[in-house]
Amino acid sequence: MRKLGNVKALSATAFDLRRDALDIIMAGGGGHIGGDMSEPEILLTLYERMNVTPETQDSPDRDRFVLSKGHCVETLYAVLSYEGFMNLDEVKAKFSKFGSEYIGHPHNTLPGIEMNSGSLGHGLSVSVGMALAGKMDKKNYRVYTLIGDGELAEGSVWEGAAAGAHYRLDNLCAIIDHNHLQISGNVDDVLSPGDIGGRFAASGWNVITVMNGNDIQQISDALDIAERTKGKPSVIIAETLKGKGSPLMENKAGWHHKLPNQEEYKQIAADIAAYKEAILNG
Amino acid sequence: MANKIANRAVMCEVLKEAASTDKSVVVLCSDSRGSASLASFADTYPEQFVEVGIAEQNLVSIAAVLASCGKKAFAVSPASFISTRSYEQCKVDCAYSDTNVKLIGISGGVSYGALGMTHHSAQDIAAMSAIPNMRVYLPSDRFQTRCVFEALLKDNKTAYVRIGRNPVEDVYSEGNVPFTMDKATVLAEGSDILIVACGELVKASKDAAELLKAKGISAGVLDMYCIKPLDSETLLKAAKGVKAVLTVEEHSPFGGLGSMVAQLISANDPKKVISLSLPDEPVITGKSQEVFAHYGMNAEGIANKAQEILG
């Protein structure tokens, strides 16, 4: 992995990305804003550290990322634009429009996107395949996937978990965006995933808990631990805040895919700006 | 559009009415109660509602077991997932095991628009129809949706129903809903061409027949909401004497209404059968009506295709 840059500056950038995701959603007339807002620090840290750039995105040695919670694609578009894979203005102009390739789920005809996703529960199995190929081809690349906590109800996640451990895929790191909410309410009320770490550990995974998954340094440190762990895959359980960026949305299931009205849009944009200011002044 | 009531909202109404007097009616969702407009069912009859989380395979298996224990189970999940992700469970646990599970595919076809192919269901008719003992229904509007659900509540066999996400224009009207379960509805009689449509494309087909009439072409229109069992009697009767048959469906060109109609016509009354459908590729990004217009599946497109066939 690459070395992490200035943490304070990147932490502020994460709020710029939230604003970009918000604007993409407004431009397209819809999106999954709640989950978009819990993941910017995770995606930004990954793309700052993974060995992949717009220039190396086709290299067989590149690190790979799969957004298993594919509905939160707007922040991925924002991050990929920030990292130079895409053009933000083009994304905003085209997102969800008639005839557009910028749809509401990741699509691998777009630059920087490895796999199509959107049907939940696929990302871990797909990532296991990529990691296994890396082992077979004796490559040093690493594979990362971001999975939603509600998504853990999909049985296929656990098929992937078994295979990842069985093949000792220490080049694989799954991250759980543990924001505790899904579309119908609290994850524990809808269908409790139980002891997530315990389940992965029982499957043979190295389990790393990040107490604040919206903290870039904590995420980066966890990625280091994962990279140092040999003989088994790692899972990072990142405690995040759904809707982070505006108290209007924070920790509210109703914002899973709500489209802000103009008044709400202004409020959210102002709140995001205030968060960024606080970081820069902190 | 005049109608603001989506077919899924009508489904919720009918199921709530049934649940109020019949405690064996059970609804299951896979984190899909909001998408299915079933949140008010869950709130009103929590003891008759089962949430399984985002686990469609488990959804169908649990529904099948509940049905085998005497429940009238309605498993409701996006059509793309319940029809193909849970395919094995639909085949084995529902149809093969002959359990009274109603599999409801919501947001069917291209309803999800810009969310892309993961969320589109253009294979569900083909997939579900290929399962022995599985029936397949695609109601065309809110009035017919009510009729189909009321009929399904009265029988004890498994079935798959696809409904869309967004309100669709009415084909029928209050108090004027000709409906007999498993019989196609004749919307217009015609002598030049027969248009056979299902689901959300019935209204466009009906409108196309009006456009054709203005041009002196007599087009019959069938609302074939019952894809399986296909109403062969009504179809063959309506096709008698016309020069060609045009099928219209929100589905892949393979294995859907067009394939079934062609199979029946070629065996019994050979003539040209042309299919208007989605293409064999991921569909263009857009709202349902934009997508239909793009592929010539709106009223004008259907009328043009009919004229082209008649030469």
Side-chain angles (χ1 to χ4, degrees):
Chain A
M1 294 201 95
R2 292 183 284 158
K3 217 166 160 284
L4 188 66
N6 182 303
V7 172
K8 187 171 175 177
L10 287 171
S11 300
T13 298
F15 286 92
D16 291 335
L17 296 171
R18 284 186 170 87
R19 174 62 194 261
D20 293 342
L22 172 68
D23 287 341
I24 292 169
I25 288 167
M26 297 304 289
H32 288 82
I33 193 164
D36 275 324
M37 297 296 152
S38 63
E39 69 185 16
E41 286 82 7
I42 295 170
L43 295 192
L44 180 60
T45 310
L46 276 170
Y47 276 93
E48 285 290 307
R49 300 211 51 199
M50 283 194 302
N51 290 316
V52 61
T53 63
E55 292 70 38
T56 62
Q57 60 177 307
D58 294 322
S59 161
D61 297 316
R62 71 188 182 280
D63 287 345
R64 288 147 168 89
F65 172 71
V66 176
L67 184 64
S68 192
K69 43 173 285 193
H71 53 288
C72 299
V73 73
E74 294 84 13
T75 294
L76 180 63
Y77 287 157
V79 173
L80 288 173
S81 297
Y82 174 76
E83 298 288 343
F85 292 87
M86 293 177 178
N87 178 295
L88 184 64
D89 290 333
E90 186 184 343
V91 175
K92 283 196 275 195
K94 292 186 173 176
F95 179 59
S96 287
K97 297 285 182 355
F98 179 69
S100 175
E101 63 271 36
Y102 291 91
I103 64 171
H105 290 107
H107 198 269
N108 65 0
T109 55
L110 291 171
I113 295 180
E114 296 282 351
M115 273 303 291
N116 299 345
S117 57
S119 181
L120 294 172
H122 286 223
L124 188 54
S125 301
V126 164
S127 301
V128 163
M130 288 177 180
L132 198 56
K135 292 286 184 188
M136 292 165 85
D137 296 341
K138 302 201 174 1
K139 298 281 187 191
N140 290 320
Y141 67 73
R142 295 186 57 76
V143 182
Y144 298 90
T145 182
L146 183 64
I147 303 170
D149 47 7
E151 185 180 357
L152 296 174
E154 292 283 12
S156 51
V157 173
W158 301 100
E159 295 177 20
H166 181 82
Y167 291 104
R168 302 176 183 280
L169 299 176
D170 50 17
N171 53 347
L172 170 64
C173 176
I175 305 169
I176 311 298
D177 186 354
H178 199 10
N179 60 35
H180 298 268
L181 291 177
Q182 60 188 109
I183 193 168
S184 301
N186 289 317
V187 172
D188 279 333
D189 294 334
V190 176
L191 191 88
S192 173
D195 176 4
I196 299 171
R199 290 172 76 187
F200 272 101
S203 301
W205 286 57
N206 175 47
V207 178
I208 306 158
T209 301
V210 167
M211 292 313 291
N212 184 356
N214 296 119
D215 182 301
I216 283 177
Q217 188 64 57
Q218 288 189 31
I219 299 161
S220 184
D221 291 345
L223 292 173
D224 284 333
I225 296 169
E227 189 168 19
R228 286 199 302 268
T229 302
K230 297 302 171 195
K232 54 167 90 168
S234 288
V235 59
I236 296 171
I237 302 170
E239 293 286 336
T240 58
L241 182 61
K242 193 160 181 172
K244 185 174 173 73
S246 170
L248 200 61
M249 307 185 288
E250 286 171 1
N251 211 22
K252 290 176 184 157
W255 280 90
H256 180 85
H257 62 171
K258 186 178 172 188
L259 179 66
N261 61 31
Q262 276 306 316
E263 198 180 320
E264 290 166 336
Y265 168 67
K266 284 181 195 156
Q267 183 64 52
I268 293 166
D271 290 341
I272 288 172
Y275 263 107
K276 183 186 170 185
E277 274 306 302
I279 288 168
L280 292 175
N281 296 330
Chain B
M1 186 189 301
N3 174 42
K4 301 282 185 207
I5 302 168
N7 295 347
R8 55 191 173 129
V10 175
M11 166 183 71
C12 183
E13 267 175 34
V14 177
L15 292 175
K16 277 169 74 178
E17 287 162 20
S20 68
T21 54
D22 184 350
K23 293 298 158 197
S24 72
V25 173
V26 175
V27 171
L28 300 94
C29 281
S30 53
D31 199 24
S32 46
R33 73 184 76 176
S35 313
S37 292
L38 284 167
S40 75
F41 185 101
D43 292 342
T44 314
Y45 301 105
E47 72 285 359
Q48 288 166 261
F49 182 81
V50 179
E51 175 63 73
V52 303
I54 309 168
E56 297 81 12
Q57 297 165 86
N58 212 24
L59 171 85
V60 174
S61 293
I62 292 173
V65 174
L66 290 177
S68 70
C69 295
K71 305 290 186 194
K72 291 174 182 166
F74 285 75
V76 189
S77 182
S80 56
F81 309 132
I82 199 167
S83 64
T84 51
R85 186 166 200 143
S86 314
Y87 193 54
E88 171 83 10
Q89 287 77 10
C90 294
K91 183 181 79 168
V92 176
D93 302 339
C94 299
Y96 184 46
S97 304
D98 200 14
T99 47
N100 182 18
V101 181
K102 303 306 187 306
L103 302 155
I104 315 301
I106 54 166
S107 305
V110 297
S111 296
Y112 274 128
L115 294 188
M117 188 164 163
T118 54
H119 283 58
H120 295 163
S121 62
Q123 304 75 28
D124 51 347
I125 300 176
M128 285 296 172
S129 298
I131 299 176
N133 198 34
M134 181 65 73
R135 297 171 296 159
V136 177
Y137 300 97
L138 271 76
S140 58
D141 77 351
R142 57 185 167 136
F143 297 108
Q144 196 182 58
T145 297
R146 169 169 280 278
C147 295
V148 168
F149 275 86
E150 285 177 347
L152 290 175
L153 277 159
K154 290 183 194 131
D155 69 43
N156 57 7
K157 306 280 283 182
T158 193
Y160 170 74
V161 185
R162 183 222 277 186
I163 53 179
R165 180 173 180 77
N166 308 308
V168 289
E169 285 191 57
D170 295 335
V171 176
Y172 306 98
S173 57
E174 195 78 54
N176 181 23
V177 195
F179 183 85
T180 306
M181 189 60 161
D182 292 331
K183 299 298 285 182
T185 304
V186 181
L187 292 175
E189 292 186 350
S191 54
D192 293 323
I193 191 165
L194 173 67
I195 304 173
V196 185
C198 61
E200 298 195 7
L201 292 168
V202 170
K203 178 67 167 77
S205 298
K206 191 182 172 195
D207 292 346
E210 289 297 319
L211 294 175
L212 290 166
K213 194 176 176 183
K215 293 178 178 175
I217 296 170
S218 169
V221 181
L222 286 188
D223 179 349
M224 191 63 80
Y225 69 87
C226 45
I227 309 275
K228 189 187 170 194
L230 193 74
D231 179 7
S232 52
E233 189 187 351
T234 305
L235 176 58
L236 289 172
K237 193 175 160 201
K240 201 172 178 185
V242 300
K243 298 179 192 75
V245 176
L246 174 61
T247 64
V248 189
E249 62 187 315
E250 188 182 357
H251 191 265
S252 142
F254 310 116
L257 179 67
S259 302
M260 292 187 206
V261 169
Q263 205 170 17
L264 192 80
I265 297 289
S266 64
N268 294 281
D269 183 10
K271 66 185 70 183
K272 189 178 274 187
V273 179
I274 301 295
S275 167
L276 253 182
S277 69
L278 298 169
D280 183 30
E281 62 190 31
V283 304
I284 195 162
T285 305
K287 298 183 176 73
S288 294
Q289 295 306 324
E290 292 175 326
V291 172
F292 297 155
H294 179 75
Y295 295 119
M297 295 159 74
N298 55 2
E300 292 74 21
I302 296 166
N304 289 342
K305 177 59 85 173
Q307 272 189 292
E308 181 192 316
I309 295 166
L310 292 171

